[in-house]
């Protein structure tokens, strides 16, 4: 979306806002930032994105919050990268590599053919490092303590699973899938099918139903929409901003420690108003 031309918004009556979620921000971080910046009373998001994923996050305000369940249920599209030959406990970059296997023997044909069993209606087990509840507790809280938990598999639908680039050990992909599909679990299962293991190193949500990432606002554009202060508020002394403590989500500490080039506006190194 253009940096300068914004459509008129009526947040109290209800809007569907498309946001490009920054790397390492949680979905709640984005909701909180937008709520406070635009002074919106009622707001929620239609489908969580993991902190290490970027891309389309849909926020609904006012009366449009009634449409959250409908939007969440729509088909999703993702692009990203799997790294073959290495596995991690979280199936992504939140945790260190725990095993390595050879991958050099794989041919391009074998890699592309291995996608076939993962299309259609399939059984998938969510990661332990996820927000799935186990006995009333988030699974990633169990994982953070070093515990184990039995997570039940569920049926999901993957309509398309396309390999778009092969540059071993990395392969790029595009997936269209139903609500509840874990791309990290797909990385694990795809690597197991190839016999070499794999984990997710990049994930971008590009579409939810007919809503597309190309139409989304970034956080700088949200700041540009900030309304003027109410009359009389400017005379009050400015409220001291508190540095927000980064969320201790699963292995974000590990990721941040091993990736010096964090996003400049990430909540890990700046306050969220």
């Amino acid at each position: 979306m253009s940096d300068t031309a914004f459509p008129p918004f009526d947040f109290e009556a209800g809007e569907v806002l498309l946001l490009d979620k920054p790397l390492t921000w949680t979905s709640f971080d984005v909701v909180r930032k937008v709520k406070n910046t635009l002074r919106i009373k009622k707001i929620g998001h239609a489908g969580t994105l993991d902190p290490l994923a970027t891309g389309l996050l849909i926020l609904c305000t006012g009366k449009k919050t009634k449409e959250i369940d409908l939007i969440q249920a729509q088909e999703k599209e993702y692009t990203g990268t799997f790294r073959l030959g290495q596995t991690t406990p979280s199936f992504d970059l939140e945790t260190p590599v725990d095993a390595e296997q050879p991958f050099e023997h794989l041919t391009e044909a074998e890699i592309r053919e291995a996608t076939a069993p993962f299309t259609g209606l399939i059984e998938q087990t969510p990661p332990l490092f996820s927000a799935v509840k186990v006995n009333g507790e988030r699974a990633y809280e169990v994982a953070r303590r070093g515990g184990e938990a039995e997570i039940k598999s569920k049926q999901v639908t993957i309509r398309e699973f396309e390999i778009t680039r092969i540059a071993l050990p990395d392969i790029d992909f595009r997936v269209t899938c139903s609500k509840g599909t874990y791309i990290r679990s797909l990385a694990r299962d795809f690597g197991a099918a190839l016999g070499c293991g794999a984990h997710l190193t990049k994930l971008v949500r590009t579409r939810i139903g007919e809503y597309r990432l190309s139409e989304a606002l970034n956080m700088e554009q949200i700041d540009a929409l900030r309304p003027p202060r109410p009359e009389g508020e400017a005379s009050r002394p400015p409220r001291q901003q508190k540095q927000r403590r980064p969320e201790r989500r699963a292995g974000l500490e590990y990721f941040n420690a091993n990736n010096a080039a964090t996003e400049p506006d990430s909540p890990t190194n700046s306050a969220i108003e």
Side-chain angles (χ1 to χ4, degrees), residues 17 19-22 25-40 43 57 59 218-227 241 244 265-267 270-273:
L17 277 178
L19 272 295
D20 185 356
K21 189 190 82 66
W25 288 46
T26 67
S27 298
F28 178 74
D29 287 332
V30 177
V31 171
R32 182 169 175 262
K33 171 69 173 179
V34 173
K35 178 183 176 71
N36 292 342
T37 299
L38 303 183
R39 299 177 185 175
I40 299 171
I43 186 171
L57 182 69
L59 274 56
N218 58 39
M219 301 313 294
E220 290 77 15
Q221 290 172 315
I222 289 296
D223 281 330
L225 292 172
R226 185 190 299 270
Q241 294 292 335
R244 181 185 179 279
D265 292 327
S266 166
S270 67
I272 295 182
E273 298 177 1

Side-chain angles (χ1 to χ4, degrees), residues 4 71 87 92 140 163 207 216 218 257:
T4 56
I71 294 173
T87 60
D92 67 358
Y140 65 76
I163 303 300
R207 180 174 63 83
N218 58 39

Side-chain angles (χ1 to χ4, degrees), residues 137-194:
E137 186 178 18
R138 297 294 183 187
Y140 65 76
E141 295 288 351
V142 177
R144 192 169 65 195
R145 295 197 306 270
E148 296 289 337
E150 182 178 351
I151 301 179
K152 296 180 180 179
S153 66
K154 61 179 181 178
Q155 289 189 327
V156 298
T157 299
I158 297 180
R159 187 169 64 83
E160 295 177 285
F161 181 12
E162 174 189 9
I163 303 300
T164 57
R165 183 184 71 102
I166 298 177
L168 294 178
D170 294 336
I171 59 172
D172 294 347
F173 64 87
R174 184 180 67 86
V175 167
T176 58
C177 56
S178 64
K179 172 187 175 183
T181 302
Y182 279 88
I183 306 301
R184 285 183 289 138
S185 291
L186 180 61
R188 171 202 58 195
D189 297 341
F190 187 65
L194 289 172

Side-chain angles (χ1 to χ4, degrees), residues 194-212:
L194 289 172
C196 64
H199 67 284
L200 182 68
T201 61
K202 181 181 179 181
L203 184 65
V204 182
R205 185 156 66 193
T206 54
R207 180 174 63 83
I208 300 176
E210 297 302 315
Y211 299 106
R212 298 184 179 277

